[in-house]
Amino acid sequence: MQIYIEKFQLRDVMHEPLLNHLRVVTYQKGDIIIQQGEQPAFLYFLVEGRTKVFASSDEGKKLILAFNGPFSVFGDIEFIQQAPYLNTVEAITDVTLLKLSLPIVQQYGMQHLPFVTFILNTLTRKFYSNADAARFNLMYAVEVRLASYLLSMTTEDESVSIHHLRDAADLIGTSYRHLNRIIGQLTDAGYIARKNRAIHILNRDELYKLAKQNIYEER
Amino acid sequence: MQIYIEKFQLRDVMHEPLLNHLRVVTYQKGDIIIQQGEQPAFLYFLVEGRTKVFASSDEGKKLILAFNGPFSVFGDIEFIQQAPYLNTVEAITDVTLLKLSLPIVQQYGMQHLPFVTFILNTLTRKFYSNADAARFNLMYAVEVRLASYLLSMTTEDESVSIHHLRDAADLIGTSYRHLNRIIGQLTDAGYIARKNRAIHILNRDELYKLAKQNIYEER
DNA sequence: GCTTCATCGGGACAAATGTCCTTTTTTGCT
DNA sequence: AGCAAAAAAGGACATTTGTCCCGATGAAGC
C-alpha cells in the first residue's frame, strides 16, 4: 500500500483521512471490476495491470471505449453525478487497485481542494479523449479506424496478436466479419500482412496517412 | 450583469475577484461564439438565448453534439486541459453570455473550492450526457435516432419545422437524403406525417417504443 | 400572374456494413 | 499421429447508408 502511495505521489492529492481509508483490492484476469448499470460504491485507482472499459447495449452490442494502465481512476463521474455506472470495467491482466468508499470520499475528499482539483483533472482528460474517440468512431469508416487502431496498438515493428481481433472489432465498432474484410483490403494494398495468427505492419507511413493522423490513445 | 448574478446564484460559486471580472457579451443569431481548433481564451456562461454545439471533420462532415439553453458553461474542458477548443459553438438565437478570461480563472477560480466544485459538477454532467449521446449514435440505426430526435424536439402535439431538417440530419449523423428516406418509412408506418413543410407526430407511443426509451437530452 | 431561382423530395445506383452459413485451420485430447 | 471440437476465414446475400442528379415545388422579383 505505502509503495503505491509513494509511486503515484498520492500524498500530493489526498490528505490523511483519505489515505487512511484506502484499501487494496486485486482481481484476476477476466474479472469484472465494475458492472455497467450498478449503483456506484467505490472510487477505484488502478495501480497494477491493465483493464478495458466497454459499454453494452440491451441488444448485446458491445463497444470498447478504452484500454487503461496505471494510473487510472474509475467511478469518478458516477460518484459526482450520483448515477449508475456508465460502463463495465474488466481486468485484462491480473490487476491491483486501490479503492475508497464513496461516503468517505464525500466526507473528506470533497472538502479538500487538492483532491477535488485532482478529480477535475482526471475527469477532463477522460472527457477530452472520450470526445475524440467518439467523434472518430462516428465520422470515419472502418478502414480508417482499423488503421488507427493498429498504429496505436503497436510500436515500430511489433505485431498485433490475432487473439485480440474480436476485441478490435468491438473497439472500432464493427462486426468481426467486416473487420476481416478490411484486413483483406489492407493486405492487398500491401500495408499489412497476416502471418502466424498475427498482423504485421509492413508500411507504417501509408497506414498513418490512412488514419488521418488520428489514433486511439491509451488513457 | 447583477441580474444574472442573482438569477443563476453565481455568488454561491464565485467570490468577489471572479465576480468583478465577469463581462457581459452578446452575439447575434448565427454568430460563431467558439471556433473549433482555436486556442481557448475565455470561459463562457450562457445566460440568455440558445446555442448549438457541433464538431466538423476536415472533410466537412458535421456532427451536432448538443443544443443548449441557459445556464450552460463553455470552454471548461479546454481550459482545464489547456488544449484547443474541441467544438464550435454557434448562436441559434441572439444570445447573451458572461465571460471570464482564463488567466483570471486560473489565478482566482482554481484556488476557490466552491468554484472548482462547480466546474467539476458542470463537467460531469456534460460528460454523462455526452457519453450517452455518443453511445446512442454509435449503437443504433438512423431510424432509432430519428425517432429519438423527433421526440426530444417536440412536446405533445407540436411539429418539427422542415427548416431544421438539415440540422437534424447532421445531428443524428446521416445524410439529408437518407433522413428523407427514413422519414418516408416512418410515414408509411403511420407514425408521422409530412404536412406544410413540417413533420407532425401521429403516434407518439410507437415512436417512443422505436426510440427504445433513449432520447437526446438538452443540456 | 409569370418567370427565375433556390430548395426540396425522391429515383437510381454505388459503397459500406451486417447476417448467415460453409469451409478451413487450429487446438486439445487420447 | 489421429480425431473431435472449437475458432477463424471467407462466400453469398441482405440491409443500411451515401452520392449524384433530376424533376417538382414554393418563394421572390417584376
Side-chain angles (χ1 to χ4, degrees):
Chain A
M1 163 77 82
Q2 289 309 313
I3 190 174
Y4 294 125
I5 294 178
E6 294 306 323
K7 185 167 178 189
F8 298 107
Q9 300 167 45
L10 296 186
R11 280 184 201 289
D12 292 354
V13 297
M14 297 183 194
H15 51 175
E16 279 307 319
L18 283 176
L19 291 171
N20 289 339
H21 283 92
L22 273 177
R23 295 289 173 267
V24 177
V25 55
T26 62
Y27 289 89
Q28 293 191 306
K29 180 173 171 168
D31 286 352
I32 301 296
I33 301 163
I34 286 177
Q35 176 68 51
Q36 175 181 3
E38 286 188 357
Q39 216 49 41
F42 298 96
L43 200 56
Y44 292 93
F45 307 91
L46 177 65
V47 293
E48 205 87 69
R50 286 175 56 72
T51 60
K52 67 179 176 192
V53 180
F54 61 90
S56 308
S57 69
D58 305 337
E59 290 85 356
K61 273 192 213 172
K62 259 174 50 177
L63 176 67
I64 299 188
L65 299 168
F67 290 100
N68 321 82
F71 180 85
S72 296
V73 183
F74 303 120
D76 44 357
I77 298 121
E78 294 86 350
F79 161 61
I80 304 285
Q81 190 68 0
Q82 306 262 58
Y85 285 122
L86 270 173
N87 307 312
T88 297
V89 180
E90 180 185 324
I92 55 179
T93 66
D94 290 358
V95 297
T96 307
L97 303 103
L98 307 181
K99 68 179 186 183
L100 282 173
S101 82
L102 295 190
I104 298 293
V105 179
Q106 186 66 52
Q107 191 178 349
Y108 300 111
M110 296 311 284
Q111 316 306 325
H112 185 55
L113 184 56
F115 183 76
V116 177
T117 305
F118 163 70
I119 293 292
L120 181 56
N121 279 308
T122 306
L123 201 57
T124 307
R125 204 165 338 110
K126 274 198 207 179
F127 194 116
Y128 210 82
S129 58
N130 250 33
D132 264 355
R135 185 177 315 173
F136 192 62
N137 277 325
L138 277 169
M139 304 238 245
Y140 297 104
V142 172
E143 189 186 37
V144 178
R145 286 181 265 152
L146 175 61
S148 211
Y149 175 79
L150 290 175
L151 287 175
S152 64
M153 287 297 282
T154 62
T155 52
E156 214 49 62
D157 209 57
E158 262 184 334
S159 58
V160 178
S161 159
I162 223 70
H163 170 254
H164 298 131
L165 228 51
R166 288 187 185 272
D167 265 2
D170 284 340
L171 176 58
I172 69 183
T174 190
S175 62
Y176 179 68
R177 175 66 191 92
H178 191 57
L179 185 67
N180 262 318
R181 211 165 355 218
I182 303 295
I183 289 174
Q185 280 177 220
L186 293 186
T187 304
D188 291 348
Y191 300 168
I192 62 177
R194 269 187 137 115
K195 215 164 81 182
N196 303 334
R197 313 255 110 198
I199 292 180
H200 296 267
I201 295 183
L202 300 181
N203 192 334
R204 215 177 168 80
D205 292 345
E206 285 298 326
L207 270 190
Y208 203 77
K209 267 193 232 162
L210 227 179
K212 298 170 200 281
Q213 278 79 325
N214 277 292
I215 54 173
Y216 287 99
E217 287 299 316
E218 163 158 335
R219 270 158 289 146
Chain B
M1 164 76 83
Q2 290 309 315
I3 189 173
Y4 295 125
I5 293 179
E6 294 306 322
K7 185 166 178 190
F8 299 108
Q9 300 167 44
L10 296 186
R11 281 183 200 289
D12 291 354
V13 297
M14 298 184 194
H15 50 175
E16 280 305 321
L18 282 176
L19 290 172
N20 289 340
H21 283 91
L22 274 176
R23 295 290 173 268
V24 177
V25 54
T26 61
Y27 289 89
Q28 293 191 306
K29 179 173 174 168
D31 286 352
I32 301 297
I33 300 162
I34 287 178
Q35 176 68 50
Q36 176 181 4
E38 287 187 358
Q39 218 47 43
F42 297 97
L43 201 57
Y44 292 93
F45 307 92
L46 177 64
V47 293
E48 204 87 68
R50 287 175 56 71
T51 61
K52 67 179 175 190
V53 181
F54 62 90
S56 308
S57 70
D58 305 337
E59 290 85 356
K61 274 192 213 170
K62 259 175 48 176
L63 176 66
I64 299 189
L65 300 168
F67 291 100
N68 321 80
F71 179 86
S72 298
V73 183
F74 304 120
D76 43 358
I77 299 121
E78 294 87 350
F79 161 61
I80 304 286
Q81 189 69 357
Q82 306 264 57
Y85 285 122
L86 271 172
N87 307 313
T88 297
V89 180
E90 180 185 323
I92 54 180
T93 65
D94 290 357
V95 298
T96 306
L97 302 102
L98 307 183
K99 69 179 185 181
L100 282 173
S101 83
L102 295 190
I104 298 294
V105 179
Q106 186 66 52
Q107 190 178 349
Y108 300 111
M110 296 312 283
Q111 316 307 325
H112 185 57
L113 184 56
F115 184 76
V116 176
T117 305
F118 162 70
I119 294 292
L120 182 57
N121 279 308
T122 306
L123 202 55
T124 307
R125 203 164 339 110
K126 273 197 207 180
F127 194 116
Y128 210 82
S129 57
N130 251 32
D132 264 356
R135 184 178 314 172
F136 190 63
N137 277 325
L138 278 169
M139 305 239 245
Y140 298 103
V142 172
E143 189 186 37
V144 178
R145 286 181 265 152
L146 175 61
S148 212
Y149 175 80
L150 289 176
L151 287 174
S152 63
M153 286 298 282
T154 60
T155 52
E156 214 49 63
D157 209 58
E158 260 183 335
S159 59
V160 177
S161 159
I162 223 70
H163 171 254
H164 297 134
L165 229 50
R166 290 188 181 269
D167 265 2
D170 284 340
L171 176 57
I172 68 183
T174 191
S175 62
Y176 178 66
R177 175 67 190 91
H178 191 56
L179 185 67
N180 262 319
R181 217 170 346 226
I182 303 296
I183 289 173
Q185 280 176 220
L186 294 186
T187 304
D188 291 348
Y191 300 169
I192 61 177
R194 267 190 138 114
K195 213 163 82 182
N196 303 334
R197 315 252 116 196
I199 292 180
H200 296 267
I201 295 183
L202 299 181
N203 192 334
R204 214 176 170 81
D205 291 346
E206 284 299 326
L207 270 190
Y208 203 78
K209 267 194 230 161
L210 226 180
K212 299 172 199 281
Q213 277 79 326
N214 277 292
I215 53 171
Y216 287 98
E217 286 300 316
E218 163 158 335
R219 269 158 287 148

